[in-house]
Amino acid sequence: MTQDEKNMGIAVHLASFAGYLIPFGSIVGPLIVWLMKRDELPFVDSCGRNCLNFKISVAIYMVVSAILMLIGIGFILLAMLAIADIVLTIIAAIKASEGKVYQYPMSINFIKADR
């Protein structure tokens, strides 16, 4: 595996931090990197699918947490979800730098492999 593949794998994961600045950036950022490189770099394809599945799952969990704010527990869930999102994304980027594909926990498999 080349260093370029590892760097692009890291870029997929770290692009999701755009969500803290741009609405839906946590999905759009990795989606752009993934769409640009998925056909030429299989490692980026795997990283991108895993990252996007996780970020879409997190978006769904945030909506559920927002609804649960009506009974109070949603505030705690939202805080825990934000911390888990940051920590797991950093772990995924570190694993990508090692050339390993990280399987996010709590991730719903929306985008499946073509193979």
Side-chain angles (χ1 to χ4, degrees), residues 68-86:
L68 290 175
M69 284 180 169
L70 296 172
I71 60 172
I73 193 165
F75 295 101
I76 296 167
L77 291 175
L78 202 56
M80 290 172 44
L81 191 56
I83 292 168
D85 180 32
I86 293 168

Side-chain angles (χ1 to χ4, degrees), residues 6-102:
K6 292 178 186 178
N7 289 341
M8 291 308 295
I10 294 168
V12 167
H13 296 293
L14 295 183
S16 67
F17 285 126
Y20 289 100
L21 301 173
I22 303 165
F24 300 106
S26 62
I27 296 172
V28 174
L31 180 63
I32 290 170
V33 177
W34 179 62
L35 288 175
M36 287 177 12
K37 295 293 184 176
R38 71 179 175 174
D39 292 330
E40 59 188 89
L41 302 173
F43 180 67
V44 174
D45 183 39
S46 297
C47 288
R49 275 187 284 104
N50 289 332
C51 184
L52 286 168
N53 284 331
F54 179 67
K55 296 304 175 173
I56 294 168
S57 300
V58 167
I60 292 169
Y61 301 148
M62 285 187 171
V63 170
V64 171
S65 296
I67 293 169
L68 290 175
M69 284 180 169
L70 296 172
I71 60 172
I73 193 165
F75 295 101
I76 296 167
L77 291 175
L78 202 56
M80 290 172 44
L81 191 56
I83 292 168
D85 180 32
I86 293 168
V87 170
L88 293 174
T89 301
I90 291 170
I91 291 171
I94 291 170
K95 291 292 185 186
S97 73
E98 298 169 354
K100 299 176 184 170
V101 176
Y102 182 69

